[in-house]
Amino acid sequence: MRRAPATRHRLLLGGFALLSLGSLLAWSTLPLGAVPANTVTVTRADIESSVTALGTLQPRRYVDVGAQASGQIRTLHVEAGDTVRKGQLLVEIDPSTQQARVDAGRFSIDNLKAQLAEQRAQFKLAKQQLARQRSLADAGATREEDVQAANAQLSVTQARIDMYQAQIRQAQASLRSDEAELGYTRIYAPMDGTVVAVDAREGQTLNAQQQTPLILRIAKLSPMTVWAQVSEADIGKVKPGMTAYFTTLAGGKRRWSSRVRQILPIPPKPLEQTSSGGGSPASATNGATGTQVVQYTVLLDVENPDGALMADMTTQVFFVAGQASGVLTVPLAALDERDGMHIAQVLAPDGQVQPRQVRTGLSDRLRVQVLDGLGEGERLLIGQGSGG
């Protein structure tokens, strides 16, 4: 009973001895000077240097349709998502008040025209009386005062005619304004497009005296515009006309290609800080330092023939600063930077490590283009070995 544990103990000791002997033999076969480290190979690949940013999709062309007439919405002929044509009737507002003003204006003009006709008759009579007085004056049968009175009456009548004509023109101008406001009770589509938002409902009362109430928005869903927010550290690398592409969460691996149309020179105005710590979407706050990262808006247009892009979608934008195909590349982690130079630790076939200066080109933040100093297929130390 006591011999079995002793036997197992001897077997374990023997196994450890064999493992130690194998490790010693393996170590003795290593080349002199070998450095235990991970290695990477210099390979050819395509590389792209780009600036990344987040953005939001918006229709490039849209119009907010508002009400210029006050009143209750009688009929709303469209809903969100409807396609409309320019000139299509969208909304009808109760026209009772505006129609009453138009009717009153027309009645006022009719009254003024009647008074104008009366004054013209008076003018005709005054003209005849003046001619009679002048005839009598030539025969010495009337006084000069009577001639002057007849002449004054003719002038007064002419002045009244001019006054009524001016009042008629004023009333007609007022009537045109009332008729225009009556026309505003029927709202038509100002452009072809899609109704993307409806902010009012049938039966709602609109007050257009203080501000223009917004009823709905019409937009053309092609082309769309990406409003990308680029940090001030990267904005100097972005230029108008630069090639760019973007992806969306809903689009999977699909890419949309575009070019930079415009860079807005002034960043959006920061919003007031709220008690909850909210800030402007155009700036990010570094919690450690309390400083804000300024972001500039870059605009890109893209056609949307299949309607896959929708308003307010979030996009990841890549501004392509440079591209190269089939060039030598290595991971950035395989290079050390010393005094402004890039140094690679090259693993020679005999196991020796040779530091070598490397001239680099484009970088995609993971890999870097090798312009000079390394050859295809060479192995580089990475990790602990690259620092030795």
Side-chain angles (χ1 to χ4, degrees):
M1 295 296 292
R2 293 181 180 178
R3 291 180 181 178
T7 301
R8 286 197 298 270
H9 183 68
R10 287 194 294 271
L11 290 175
L12 289 173
L13 289 177
F16 286 136
L18 289 175
L19 286 174
S20 300
L21 179 61
S23 299
L24 180 61
L25 289 174
W27 177 259
S28 65
T29 59
L30 287 174
L32 184 62
V35 180
N38 296 326
T39 62
V40 293
T41 304
V42 181
T43 58
R44 291 191 177 274
D46 299 340
I47 196 166
E48 177 183 277
S49 176
S50 61
V51 174
T52 60
L54 293 179
T56 304
L57 276 166
Q58 294 295 342
R60 178 170 183 180
R61 291 192 58 197
Y62 68 91
V63 60
D64 290 324
V65 179
Q68 293 179 268
S70 300
Q72 189 179 63
I73 296 179
R74 176 183 289 180
T75 309
L76 191 60
H77 292 281
V78 294
E79 297 180 353
D82 289 351
T83 301
V84 298
R85 306 291 296 178
K86 183 177 180 179
Q88 179 178 334
L89 181 62
L90 303 176
V91 184
E92 291 183 74
I93 299 173
D94 183 10
S96 302
T97 302
Q98 291 79 7
Q99 185 64 57
R101 291 199 192 99
V102 169
D103 293 341
R106 290 172 179 169
F107 297 151
S108 176
I109 291 175
D110 292 340
N111 183 33
L112 291 172
K113 286 182 177 180
Q115 296 183 56
L116 176 60
E118 178 185 359
Q119 288 303 313
R120 282 175 174 166
Q122 292 291 339
F123 178 80
K124 185 178 180 180
L125 177 60
K127 192 174 182 180
Q128 293 172 351
Q129 290 177 347
L130 177 60
R132 186 181 305 109
Q133 290 296 329
R134 285 176 176 173
S135 177
L136 293 174
D138 293 340
T142 186
R143 297 178 302 171
E144 183 63 27
E145 292 82 356
D146 294 335
V147 176
Q148 294 175 353
N151 191 29
Q153 182 62 33
L154 181 65
S155 299
V156 169
T157 307
Q158 180 62 54
R160 288 176 179 172
I161 290 175
D162 295 340
M163 178 186 68
Y164 284 120
Q165 287 177 334
Q167 289 180 352
I168 289 174
R169 288 193 295 269
Q170 181 181 8
Q172 288 173 337
S174 179
L175 176 62
R176 287 194 297 270
S177 176
D178 293 335
E179 288 175 339
E181 189 168 354
L182 177 61
Y184 294 151
T185 61
R186 295 172 65 86
I187 302 175
Y188 300 91
M191 60 180 280
D192 298 342
T194 302
V195 179
V196 296
V198 178
D199 298 327
R201 297 292 181 267
E202 290 186 1
Q204 180 176 340
T205 300
L206 306 176
N207 183 4
Q209 302 301 322
Q210 298 178 354
Q211 62 181 3
T212 302
L214 297 182
I215 300 178
L216 52 88
R217 171 176 288 188
I218 298 175
K220 283 191 173 182
L221 300 183
S222 182
M224 299 286 284
T225 298
V226 178
W227 292 65
Q229 301 299 326
V230 180
S231 69
E232 64 176 318
D234 293 329
I235 194 62
K237 305 173 186 177
V238 180
K239 306 296 181 183
M242 175 183 287
T243 301
Y245 62 89
F246 66 90
T247 60
T248 65
L249 295 177
K253 296 182 179 180
R254 181 177 177 182
R255 289 184 176 185
W256 284 266
S257 299
S258 181
R259 289 186 178 275
V260 175
R261 168 165 64 91
Q262 185 180 6
I263 302 174
L264 301 186
I266 300 177
K269 190 175 181 180
L271 300 176
E272 292 291 337
Q273 290 282 342
T274 62
S275 59
S276 59
S280 169
S283 61
T285 302
N286 187 328
T289 62
T291 60
Q292 285 190 337
V293 178
V294 179
Q295 295 180 328
Y296 291 84
T297 302
V298 181
L299 305 182
L300 308 92
D301 297 330
V302 61
E303 296 296 331
N304 186 29
D306 58 355
L309 301 177
M310 301 182 183
D312 295 326
M313 275 186 170
T314 300
T315 63
Q316 185 172 12
V317 187
F318 300 84
F319 301 94
V320 181
Q323 290 178 316
S325 300
V327 296
L328 294 179
T329 63
V330 295
L332 279 172
L335 300 179
D336 293 334
E337 188 171 354
R338 302 176 186 173
D339 300 327
M341 299 183 298
H342 291 94
I343 305 298
Q345 305 295 330
V346 182
L347 185 63
D350 60 358
Q352 297 294 324
V353 178
Q354 302 174 354
R356 193 180 302 172
Q357 183 177 345
V358 180
R359 189 163 61 93
T360 60
L362 299 177
S363 173
D364 61 3
R365 301 183 183 181
L366 293 178
R367 300 183 68 84
V368 64
Q369 177 186 8
V370 176
L371 298 178
D372 190 24
L374 295 174
E376 185 175 0
E378 288 188 307
R379 291 195 301 163
L380 311 181
L381 294 182
I382 188 172
Q384 294 180 354
S386 65

